[in-house]
Amino acid sequence: MRKLKIRLFLDAVLGAIIIAEMLIQVTGIFVHEILGFSLVILLIAHLALERKWIRAACRGARSNRLRKLNLVKALISLVLFAAFAAMVVSSLIISTILHDAGLPLAQLNNSGFWTCVHSASAYAICMLTIIHIAVHWAMIFNCFKIPYNPERRYAISVSIGALAGVAIAVLCSNASESISRINKSFESLDEQNDASSQDASNADSSSDADPAPGERSIGDDSPNEGAPKSESGNSSTDRTDDSSPEAESPQPQETPSPNEGSEHADGSNGICPLCPKQCPLSAPRCSRPYQAGLI
């Protein structure tokens, strides 16, 4: 029983860290990543303590002797482990600490795919953890000697399942909004980059096709040699060319910075506008965009 209490205490610590990880607006990026590292260590310790049950479940699955409830528990644990694996891999790729350290794995974060994977796996872990607790409610009650009427066991199971269903529905809604916001921020960033590239290419082509007035060759003035001259000795055609604004070639316009102007002050281009570092909203280096509601 003492060993079971230690395992449940470890599980409680894991649950608390998972909740803290979902409050990144409060903890900030650095604390979020440190807690994630400790979460991985505690998960390894949890699996080490559950190694006997894992071996027994594997043997029972091979011999088809697992009861339905144990089979459900084993499937939930397997999917939960897969979600943790996806979260760990995506965390290593989008980590700002590893990116600042220049590690090669962090260089793969060139799109919003891994940010979406990280967000989806985090919400999946929360949902599966709720299901995991709901399935093991009787063991938790017995371990801590929480009294309940055994005749009401089915009613208690239904009630706990209903509460778990409500919590999972809320998490699904939040997960959908989060992933949609991430996709929109990266789509806006891609559109902004495409527009900037198009403007730069148009500016280069116009500057190559129309040279500046002071850079014209001598041969360009030859068709106007026979034109009538004015009193000042210059030809009327030359005076028209010099005075007319249409004779001046268009100068390339500077492309505005993605963060300049009030139209991008809400971060719609995928770049955080709150400081000069221009971090992508998918992996900010501070908690300001979360506090400002941009993420």
Side-chain angles (χ1 to χ4, degrees):
M1 185 64 68
R2 182 179 178 182
K3 187 177 180 180
L4 180 59
K5 287 184 177 180
I6 293 174
R7 286 159 48 192
L8 290 177
F9 175 76
L10 179 62
D11 293 347
V13 174
L14 278 170
I17 292 178
I18 290 174
I19 294 174
E21 286 287 79
M22 300 303 291
L23 300 175
I24 190 173
Q25 298 91 340
V26 178
T27 60
I29 294 294
F30 182 77
V31 176
H32 178 81
E33 295 190 12
I34 297 299
L35 288 176
F37 180 74
S38 61
L39 182 66
V40 173
I41 294 177
L42 291 177
L43 175 63
I44 295 173
H46 174 80
L47 294 176
L49 291 174
E50 298 287 347
R51 61 185 182 279
K52 292 183 179 180
W53 183 88
I54 294 173
R55 286 199 215 101
C58 292
R59 286 196 298 268
R62 285 197 297 266
S63 59
N64 294 326
R65 280 190 262 176
L66 275 180
R67 293 186 303 170
K68 289 184 179 179
L69 182 59
N70 289 337
L71 181 61
V72 171
K73 291 179 180 178
L75 290 176
I76 293 173
S77 300
L78 183 61
V79 178
L80 186 57
F81 177 79
F84 263 108
M87 189 192 68
V88 170
V89 173
S90 61
S91 299
L92 294 175
I93 293 176
I94 69 174
S95 172
T96 57
I97 296 176
L98 297 181
H99 183 272
D100 293 339
L103 294 182
L105 191 62
Q107 304 302 323
L108 298 175
N109 186 26
N110 54 4
S111 66
F113 173 75
W114 290 110
T115 305
C116 291
V117 170
H118 184 74
S119 180
S121 60
Y123 279 104
I125 288 171
C126 292
M127 298 176 198
L128 292 169
T129 300
I130 293 173
I131 297 174
H132 188 72
I133 295 173
V135 170
H136 291 85
W137 73 266
M139 182 189 70
I140 297 173
F141 276 39
N142 292 331
C143 178
F144 293 100
K145 297 180 181 180
I146 300 175
Y148 69 94
N149 187 357
E151 296 179 356
R152 306 280 299 176
R153 185 185 181 98
Y154 179 76
I156 295 173
S157 299
V158 172
S159 300
I160 292 176
L163 291 175
V166 172
I168 290 172
V170 173
L171 287 173
C172 284
S173 176
N174 292 338
S176 177
E177 292 178 1
S178 176
I179 294 174
S180 176
R181 186 166 58 247
I182 292 171
N183 287 329
K184 287 181 180 179
S185 65
F186 274 94
E187 287 176 359
S188 300
L189 180 61
D190 292 338
E191 291 176 358
Q192 185 68 25
N193 291 336
D194 293 341
S196 299
S197 301
Q198 185 66 26
D199 291 342
S201 61
N202 292 338
D204 293 340
S205 61
S206 63
S207 61
D208 293 340
D210 299 326
E215 296 178 354
R216 283 195 235 159
S217 62
I218 299 176
D220 294 339
D221 297 330
S222 58
N224 297 326
E225 290 178 356
K229 295 184 179 181
S230 62
E231 295 179 357
S232 60
N234 295 329
S235 65
S236 60
T237 307
D238 291 341
R239 186 175 64 247
T240 304
D241 291 341
D242 294 337
S243 60
S244 175
E246 297 178 357
E248 297 180 2
S249 62
Q251 298 296 327
Q253 299 179 352
E254 295 183 358
T255 304
S257 174
N259 291 326
E260 291 181 359
S262 60
E263 65 273 17
H264 297 307
D266 57 350
S268 60
N269 59 347
I271 298 295
C272 177
L274 301 179
C275 71
K277 293 183 179 180
Q278 296 186 354
C279 304
L281 289 175
S282 61
R285 301 185 185 182
C286 66
S287 58
R288 292 181 183 176
Y290 295 97
Q291 296 173 353
L294 298 180
I295 300 179

